[in-house]
């Protein structure tokens, strides 16, 4: 069974794949690092962290710490849910036009 958050992740991955962007989903359990965005991507020389949420879900404090660290170091990070997927898709496509 697919969770609402997994559906968001699948939509974002499909967008990145269509664009030919490099991306991966870091393992955060076991030996991984907690709080890392769900999807880490590189597109048109831009480092992108994408935190996927379902419904009215919000990032944890640790997730926000990582999102802010990415932004402070010149990368970009976004939080996306099923409603904002189209906006994030348009934004990712605009990166190439920078």
């Amino acid at each position: 069974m697919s969770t609402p958050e997994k559906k968001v992740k699948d939509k974002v991955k499909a967008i990145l794949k269509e664009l030919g962007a490099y991306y991966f989903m870091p393992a955060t359990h076991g030996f991984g690092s907690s709080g890392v965005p769900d999807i880490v991507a590189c597109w048109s020389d831009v480092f992108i962290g994408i935190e996927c949420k379902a419904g009215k879900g919000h990032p944890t404090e640790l997730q926000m710490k990582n999102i802010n660290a990415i932004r402070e170091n010149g990368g970009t990070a976004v939080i996306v849910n099923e409603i904002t997927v189209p906006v994030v898709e348009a934004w990712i496509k605009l990166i190439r036009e920078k």
Side-chain angles (χ1 to χ4, degrees), residues 21-93:
Y22 171 80
Y23 71 93
F24 68 98
M25 297 179 64
T28 58
H29 55 283
F31 295 105
S33 181
S34 295
V36 174
D38 294 313
I39 301 171
V40 175
C42 187
W43 169 244
S44 194
D45 298 330
V46 177
F47 180 93
I48 308 169
I50 304 169
E51 182 60 41
C52 299
K53 295 294 178 188
K56 296 181 181 182
H58 298 284
T60 65
E61 188 175 320
L62 184 55
Q63 289 168 333
M64 283 307 302
K65 180 181 176 192
N66 280 277
I67 287 168
N68 290 331
I70 290 168
R71 292 172 177 167
E72 290 166 4
N73 283 282
T76 189
V78 295
I79 303 158
V80 61
N81 65 21
E82 57 272 19
I83 295 168
T84 60
V85 167
V87 174
V88 171
E89 178 178 17
W91 170 78
I92 290 171
K93 289 179 177 178

